Amino acid sequence: MTRILLSSVVSLLLTVAVSPAQSGDSGGVFSRQPYLQLATPTTVTIVWRTRVAMEPEVRVSLKGGAAVVKVPAEKMTVRRLAADGGVSAGTGGSSGGTKVLHSAPAGTWQYEATVSGLKPDTKYVYEILDGGKVVTPADGSCVLQTNPEPGAARPFSFWVVGDSGTGSDSQKAVHNSFKAWRAKAKKDVDFYVHVGDMAYNFGRDAEFQFGFFEVYADTLRGLTCWPAMGNHEGNTSNGSTGVGPYYDAYVTPTQGEAGGLASGTEAYYSWDYGRTHFVCLNSHDAPRKADGAMAQWLKADLEKTKADWVIAYWHHPPYTKGSHDSDKEKDLIEVREHLLPIIEAGGVDLVLTGHSHVYERSFLLNGAYGTPTVSANGVLDDGTGDPFKGGPYHKMPGLVANSGTVQIVAGHGGQALSRKEHPSPVMWKTITEWGSVIVNVNGRTLTAMMLDADGKERDTVQIVKDAKSVPKKIAVPKAPGEPEGPLKMKSRVVVPGAAAVPDKP
């Protein structure tokens, strides 16, 4: 009860603190800084908010050149509260018209500009103008990158975060460590995947602003974010209707416009990036049974793809002994028993989840669907998977059914951390430390690295597609590695104008 009351106080304080002139804006123009959504080989959508009406225009150019594409106001979608003139409910992506925002500070204008006619796999600079005056920052952060064409072979990297939306110092440290790594490594990162719980505790609009958009503002201006809905977003947003602050904030593909099979909903979707196929599921409030609409769409989508790699992401992990227990919780058990057989039969290589506030990384798995989870005959390779310490996992080229999947739980993005005394029997690594994951795909090699909040590379797993056959299941696999870090680590959320209040796990 105490936690619920504290959370309610925090949410109220957030609404009061953020509403008048939400921070992170450029010269007082933006109440929500520009961010990138739904990238394809020829289009990218730019979204932003103001507290007063604009005379908006978007101009996109190659670096140092004249504008090659302009998006005028009449080609944009505008969203407003019903009380302020929003007239229809629909979800994002279409051009033109005024649509309803579920919730926002009074007087909010949300603009969505889809820039089309771009060249594939090309980086552009964008500017937002108001009445002919440029209002976006001139710090080089306003860039957008189109996706490579499906089938195009080129290396790429992306950033993965989960369970971060607290506004806490630990969340900011994770973000800063990523930015420092990116600057030091001088490596391009192509996009950003968030596996859910980006707005604690109730997924309200003010919590999105404070715990997500303000913290990541500079990164979001230049990296397209691909989201999955978590249970905290699900407190205020509804996957079946596509209504709520989560669906106000994000624009995701519904008609296969970024590759993959049309899902008809923003709650779950798929998309292509070169020769890699991505699948996002709604593990919160979509039916998880194998005969449900989402599972049937998933099966058909995986059957359709011709990619070399498939990466899937959603919120609830099929295996965890962190702050949640996948042997005791219905939603996690259903993911494992009903969705995972489809995932593995579809040849998925990597699964990224959150929900459990810890970092966990598995062996190369196939067929561990039972409850409680056991490793016997559910592990194909019980090595470390680390290219520097023991060697990578090996798979056959292309997509081969039931040839092995690596599971990563990345629920360590900023929330309070905890783990059980004993790790999951299928998890090689368990680490209670804040951090994120950076994934690189290069030809036949996929590498995922856990970067902690101090900038240390704590775990690396690699899959190389050079095997001539599918590994056989191991009757008695090795035991998991010894967990690293304490059983619990507390984070604190700082609310503007209020004393620090403990996070709700």
Side-chain angles (χ1 to χ4, degrees):
M1 178 63 73
T2 301
R3 282 179 174 171
I4 295 173
L5 290 173
L6 284 171
S7 298
S8 299
V9 171
V10 171
S11 184
L12 178 60
L13 287 167
L14 284 173
T15 302
V16 172
V18 174
S19 292
Q22 294 172 337
S23 63
D25 63 316
S26 175
V29 173
F30 299 109
S31 57
R32 180 171 290 176
Q33 281 280 329
Y35 58 100
L36 306 179
Q37 291 286 280
L38 186 49
T40 78
T42 59
T43 67
V44 178
T45 297
I46 307 170
V47 186
W48 70 94
R49 283 184 179 182
T50 65
R51 293 298 306 279
V52 295
M54 297 180 72
E55 298 177 29
E57 182 185 30
V58 171
R59 294 179 184 173
V60 175
S61 61
L62 295 170
K63 188 175 181 180
V68 294
V69 177
K70 297 180 181 181
V71 183
E74 60 268 22
K75 294 293 186 180
M76 299 180 190
T77 292
V78 179
R79 296 185 188 275
R80 306 211 66 202
L81 295 172
D84 292 331
V87 294
S88 64
T91 54
S94 60
S95 297
T98 300
K99 297 183 179 181
V100 166
L101 283 173
H102 172 273
S103 49
T108 292
W109 295 74
Q110 179 166 305
Y111 296 92
E112 300 172 9
T114 297
V115 186
S116 57
L118 303 174
K119 294 181 179 180
D121 200 14
T122 302
K123 183 171 287 188
Y124 294 88
V125 176
Y126 69 88
E127 296 175 323
I128 297 171
L129 293 81
D130 182 11
K133 178 183 177 182
V134 176
V135 292
T136 37
D139 58 3
S141 63
C142 293
V143 295
L144 60 84
Q145 172 95 30
T146 52
N147 293 358
E149 291 181 324
R154 81 147 170 95
F156 67 93
S157 298
F158 63 97
W159 187 42
V160 184
V161 180
D163 299 78
S164 65
T166 62
S168 63
D169 289 342
S170 50
Q171 177 190 9
K172 293 171 185 175
V174 170
H175 185 211
N176 288 335
S177 75
F178 163 69
K179 291 192 291 184
W181 173 88
R182 193 179 178 190
K184 183 178 180 180
K186 296 182 180 179
K187 293 180 179 178
D188 211 5
V189 176
D190 295 277
F191 53 90
Y192 171 21
V193 167
H194 201 294
V195 295
D197 282 2
M198 64 277 286
Y200 285 97
N201 278 312
F202 301 103
R204 293 172 178 164
D205 182 80
E207 292 168 326
F208 267 97
Q209 185 68 24
F210 177 73
F212 185 78
F213 287 106
E214 291 185 8
V215 174
Y216 301 124
D218 52 345
T219 293
L220 292 169
R221 284 197 294 270
L223 288 183
T224 300
C225 180
W226 297 90
M229 187 171 76
N231 55 296
H232 284 275
E233 288 78 62
N235 286 327
T236 309
S237 297
N238 186 301
S240 63
T241 62
V243 172
Y246 174 88
Y247 295 98
D248 286 347
Y250 299 116
V251 183
T252 59
T254 63
Q255 301 302 317
E257 53 265 57
L261 185 66
S263 66
T265 173
E266 288 190 306
Y268 51 88
Y269 57 91
S270 64
W271 53 288
D272 292 322
Y273 198 90
R275 294 208 55 76
T276 300
H277 186 63
F278 287 84
V279 177
C280 176
L281 300 181
N282 171 15
S283 61
H284 173 62
D285 61 3
R288 292 177 284 265
K289 297 294 180 69
D291 60 356
M294 182 174 70
Q296 291 298 303
W297 167 84
L298 171 64
K299 185 174 183 293
D301 179 78
L302 292 175
E303 289 173 349
K304 178 184 176 184
T305 185
K306 305 299 182 185
D308 290 340
W309 296 92
V310 176
I311 298 172
Y313 58 100
W314 62 83
H315 188 61
H316 296 80
Y319 310 105
T320 184
K321 292 290 181 178
S323 63
H324 291 274
D325 190 328
S326 58
D327 289 333
K328 296 181 178 180
E329 301 176 32
K330 179 183 177 183
D331 42 7
L332 280 64
I333 292 170
E334 287 186 351
V335 166
R336 180 172 64 254
E337 293 183 350
H338 303 301
L339 295 177
L340 209 54
I342 301 172
I343 288 287
E344 292 184 346
V348 173
D349 300 292
L350 177 66
V351 170
L352 302 163
T353 57
H355 191 55
S356 197
H357 303 154
V358 68
Y359 172 82
E360 297 167 295
R361 193 264 291 172
S362 74
F363 298 113
L364 187 67
L365 305 177
N366 179 62
Y369 309 137
T371 304
T373 296
V374 296
S375 60
N377 295 307
V379 176
L380 298 182
D381 189 331
D382 61 0
T384 65
D386 188 329
F388 309 110
K389 301 175 183 177
Y393 299 132
H394 296 272
K395 298 182 62 174
M396 295 178 66
L399 300 181
V400 180
N402 302 102
S403 60
T405 303
V406 170
Q407 298 276 341
I408 292 180
V409 179
H412 60 321
Q415 182 56 284
L417 306 176
S418 66
R419 63 172 174 84
K420 308 298 183 282
E421 183 176 357
H422 300 292
S424 167
V426 299
M427 289 293 185
W428 168 245
K429 280 283 187 179
T430 300
I431 304 174
T432 44
E433 178 57 76
W434 292 291
S436 59
V437 176
I438 298 166
V439 180
N440 175 267
V441 179
N442 187 354
R444 293 188 176 185
T445 302
L446 181 152
T447 308
M449 181 267 290
M450 194 281 247
L451 183 74
D452 73 15
D454 293 323
K456 297 176 183 177
E457 298 182 9
R458 298 290 295 275
D459 180 44
T460 301
V461 61
Q462 189 172 86
I463 302 171
V464 180
K465 290 197 169 182
D466 61 357
K468 297 188 182 302
S469 62
V470 176
K472 294 182 179 180
K473 292 184 178 182
I474 301 172
V476 185
K478 295 176 185 175
E482 191 70 22
E484 301 174 27
L487 290 173
K488 293 184 179 181
M489 293 181 69
K490 288 291 184 182
S491 175
R492 297 186 72 83
V493 59
V494 180
V495 181
V501 179
D503 288 342
K504 179 183 176 182

